Amino acid sequence: MSTVIYPSPIFGPVHSRRLGVSLGINLLPADGKFCTFDCIYCECGYNKDHRPKLKLPTREEVRVALENRLIKMKEEGVTPDVLTFAGNGEPTAHLHFPEIIEDTLALRDRYFPKAKVSVLSNATFICKPEVFEALNRVDNNILKLDTVDTDYIRKVDRPTGQYDVNRIIEGLKAFKGNVIVQTMFLKGRTDEGEDVDNTSDTYVLPWMEAVKAIAPRQVMIYTIDRETPDKALRKASHEELDRIVTLLKEAGINAGASY
C-alpha cells in the first residue's frame, strides 16, 4: 500500500492544487499518523497502520526548523505563496498549536510578508477557545465538512472519538465568515462494499444548507488525487464537481473545485 508520511516539522515546498507554492508545516511525528479522523481516502493511510513512535515536535523545534528553511529559501530566491499547516494528521491536536501559530506569523512577517499562513484542519478542536482564537488569526482557516450525514461521516471520515456534526457546524458559524469550508467529493465503494458516492442531491443539498448557514468566505471542493487506503474509491468527475460549484455560486457563495 502506497502512503505519504511527511517529514517533520517542515517539508517542501510543494505545489498545492489549491494554494500554490506551499511550504508545509507538520506538527505531528515524522514516523506515523496522529489524527482524530481515520478517513478511508487519506493519503497517509489508516491510523492503525502508521502508529508513531516518535514524539510531537516541540514548539521550539518547529520555530527553529521553520526559520532555517525560510532563510534558505530567501538565499535561493524561492518565494512561498503560503505556509501550510498540514502533514501526518490533525495539526490543531498539538498542545502548543496556538503558540506555534504566533511564532509562524512572526517569522512570516520577517522573511516573506506577502505569504499567507494556512491551516488544513478537520475542525474537531474548533470548540477549544485557544484553537478557535488561533485559527481566527491565520490568513486561510480551511476546515473540513464533507457532509452533514452522520452515517456517511462514520463510514468515510471515521472520527476516532465523539463527533457531533451539528456542534461542528455551530463552531464553523462562530467564525462569522472567517473560514474556508473544504469538502471531499468521491465515488466508488469501501473495502466492505458500501457505496460512498456523495455527489448526488441526497448529500449535496443538505450540505449546502449547512454551508449557507455557516456563510464562509469560500468553499473549496475537491476529489481524491493519490492512492487511497480503501482500494475501490473513485474520483468525482469534473462535471459533478462543476455542478456543485454552480449550485454554490447560484446561492451567492464563493466556490471553486480542484480536480
Side-chain angles (χ1 to χ4, degrees), residues 137-155:
R137 298 184 63 196
V138 303
D139 301 290
N140 297 317
N141 171 29
I142 305 172
L143 303 181
K144 176 174 288 297
L145 183 68
D146 282 345
T147 181
V148 298
D149 185 281
T150 301
D151 290 336
Y152 190 92
I153 291 167
R154 290 197 190 104
K155 178 170 57 177

Side-chain angles (χ1 to χ4, degrees), residues 40 151-158 190 194-196 203:
I40 64 172
D151 290 336
Y152 190 92
I153 291 167
R154 290 197 190 104
K155 178 170 57 177
V156 175
D157 293 324
R158 304 198 308 179
T190 67
E194 296 183 88
D195 182 72
V196 296
Y203 291 99

Side-chain angles (χ1 to χ4, degrees), residues 133-207:
E133 182 180 346
L135 289 171
N136 249 324
R137 298 184 63 196
V138 303
D139 301 290
N140 297 317
N141 171 29
I142 305 172
L143 303 181
K144 176 174 288 297
L145 183 68
D146 282 345
T147 181
V148 298
D149 185 281
T150 301
D151 290 336
Y152 190 92
I153 291 167
R154 290 197 190 104
K155 178 170 57 177
V156 175
D157 293 324
R158 304 198 308 179
T160 60
Q162 290 187 340
Y163 182 88
D164 181 346
V165 69
N166 293 314
R167 187 171 183 234
I168 295 297
I169 290 168
E170 290 303 309
L172 293 170
K173 288 162 64 175
F175 284 103
K176 300 185 185 302
N178 185 31
V179 62
I180 297 171
V181 170
Q182 175 183 247
T183 301
M184 165 69 77
F185 287 98
L186 71 163
K187 305 182 74 171
R189 297 187 176 276
T190 67
D191 285 349
E192 288 74 35
E194 296 183 88
D195 182 72
V196 296
D197 185 347
N198 64 337
T199 64
S200 69
D201 284 348
T202 300
Y203 291 99
V204 171
L205 296 183
W207 166 82

Side-chain angles (χ1 to χ4, degrees), residues 26-44:
N26 175 26
L27 301 186
L28 294 316
D31 65 335
K33 194 176 168 205
F34 191 97
C35 197
T36 49
F37 274 6
D38 195 17
C39 299
I40 64 172
Y41 58 76
C42 181
E43 66 183 15
C44 296

